[in-house]
Amino acid sequence: MKSKITGLILAGGRGTRMGRVDKGLQPFRNATMVAHVLRRLAPQVDTVAINANRNLPQYQAAAGADIVVMPDQMSGFEGPLAGLQAGLQYCATELLLTAPCDSPFLPADLAERLYAALEDGDADLAVAVTMEADDEEGGAPRRQPHPVFSLLKASLLPQLDAYLATGARRMEGWHKTLRVAEVMFDDAAAFRNINTLEDLKRHEPEQTTSAPAAPASAGMSADPDALPVDEAARLIARRITPVAATETVALCASLDRVLAEDIISPINVPAYDNSAMDGYALRGADLPPDAGSAPVTLKIIGVAYAGRPFTRTTAPGECVRIMTGAAMPPGCDSVLPQELAAAIGESGVTIAHGAIRAGANRRFAGEDLKAGGIALAQGKIMRPADLGLVASLGIAEVTVRRRLRVAFFSTGDELRSLGETLDTGCVYDSNRYTLFGMLARLGCEVVDMGIVRDDPTALEAALRAACRDADAIVTSGGVSEGAADYTRDIMALLGDVAFWKLAMRPGRPLAFGQVRSGDDAAWLFGLPGNPVAVMVSFYMFARPALLRMMGVAEALAAPRTVRARATEAIRKRPGRTEYQRGVVATGADGEARVRLTGAQGSGILSSMTEANCIVVLGHGQAGVAAGEMVDIILFDGLI
């Protein structure tokens, strides 16, 4: 059950009754309110996200770097349904469980009970209900639904989009369009929310049953706000989906394109039984039966060539001279390689016992591919051998994913284009050329947007323009915590920031999320500014994500690691993943051995030109002694 559910904490209110401070960020029992909700919700679901329309960095800090914080897609403060819409767009599981940020006492069995009701009632949505005391003295308890404590199917997003498009915003009105299962909870206090500063003060000293803590990431980073790289990779993979558009192209034009459909073989390959050797086709029954048998001599009655079959049926004691690939003559089921013949004369060939077994060296029709079988699966990048295979099936056109459009630009007032004067304190923009090469190698349709100044207005305009022109945006620079680093703030304004700081070296400041402008949207990868960090971040995160957008099969999208023995000690501290440049070669014993290229500073681009691999040192790993095995990623096939 848990693996089917994403949790969503709704924190998009104005906080008007809390002194205009977000309720989720109010301090409560040595933590923030949203942290208490997270501790109770996280053990019940697969993953948790937070919806907030302002103060996104503060929510990120309160929740931890492995929690996605996202704003509404709609502008303004449009209520919980707008937050639900954003959550459903993010949700990668079957179901979404919602809870408000001001209810730190929510039940530990909320997901379990709502899930059971959803399944039993074949409902679209399950909602919590309690019995509340009537405000009038002596009044009977009244039934109280809690619509923001609900479990619903992720497939309801189109219906919610249509409902919101009418201008309606009430949760109760939305529920009337669905099949709703109500679940009665006895503990009404578990659903109480803290709405005012007076409520906050009143509940502060109360003691409640301790809730299970939210699971911590294994191997905490030295920077608690930095997300471990494996969690970042999983988060990206959950959100990225392939671009749907396809096109049919001539076979030769499909090189390096991604198959959008399985290639089904219309014929058997090979189309007929044929010989795997140059030699003599014969009947297995004519071979010497046992070790004591004398050699047999078979009469040669003809020759079979590839493309010119021998059509007469062989009789007992006869054989046919045959060439590799030639169709097996009627009556023959075995081939004797010519070098295994005991003797060859003008009219016959002599065969000793044990030279071959019956059925040897015969390739059966359909042995490689059977008619109706999958020759190449969708998601495969077409390589030269694939072109040949498809051509062997007589197929002249294939359906591929359309080329991915990727916009890219560099940010920084210090950057100069080639040909411009290099003033003091300025540098030539190398990152744009590196990004162009990496994107072009992927087969993307690239949109070079040049250099963007360190100015929020200019950056916002560039991102909005990129949204209109591209499926994805890759930037370099502008994502750290410097005063002029605006990328992640503008991302939060235009869309959402899933994360912006990773426990890795090089490349710690790395932003990922989605930006929107009107009806247009694009995934954004805000890479660091240092040249080596740009390359490493691109290869480890942007490249796999772009390949997934291109429709490449998941197993082919991730970088592949192999093992090599370190020739020298490598310094490393636990709590972050490090990617160091290395040179791998085969030692005298045939074993792969790797050494570092030298200084590993993130600005030393020459270290990447010298290297032929990346040495991967894991999050929890400490220093490596000389002679120890390490993981490496080969540049061959990557760069």
Side-chain angles (χ1 to χ4, degrees), residues 233 236 240 404 406 435 438-439 442 444 472-475 499 502 510-512 524-527 534-550 557 559:
I236 293 173
I240 294 291
L404 197 68
V406 182
L435 286 172
M438 294 187 293
L439 290 168
L442 282 183
C444 299
I473 309 166
V474 181
T475 68
F499 58 77
L502 299 184
L510 189 154
F512 165 72
L524 189 145
F525 300 87
L527 308 184
V534 165
M535 294 192 72
V536 170
S537 300
F538 181 90
Y539 285 131
M540 296 305 111
F541 298 98
R543 181 181 184 272
L546 294 175
L547 287 173
R548 288 176 68 91
M549 291 182 70
M550 294 162 61

Side-chain angles (χ1 to χ4, degrees), residues 307-366:
R308 283 189 289 158
F310 183 84
T311 58
R312 195 182 111 192
T313 301
T314 56
E318 295 179 338
C319 67
V320 176
R321 179 84 168 98
I322 195 167
M323 307 304 167
T324 302
M328 293 291 288
C332 296
D333 59 13
S334 311
V335 175
L336 173 77
Q338 59 188 24
E339 63 270 19
L340 296 184
I344 301 174
E346 289 187 8
S347 60
V349 58
T350 301
I351 309 170
H353 168 75
I356 61 168
R357 294 181 179 179
N361 305 311
R362 173 191 181 184
R363 293 191 295 217
F364 291 91

Side-chain angles (χ1 to χ4, degrees), residues 357-378:
R357 294 181 179 179
N361 305 311
R362 173 191 181 184
R363 293 191 295 217
F364 291 91
E367 185 176 286
D368 186 6
L369 288 171
K370 290 191 178 297
I374 297 176
L376 294 174
Q378 65 173 318

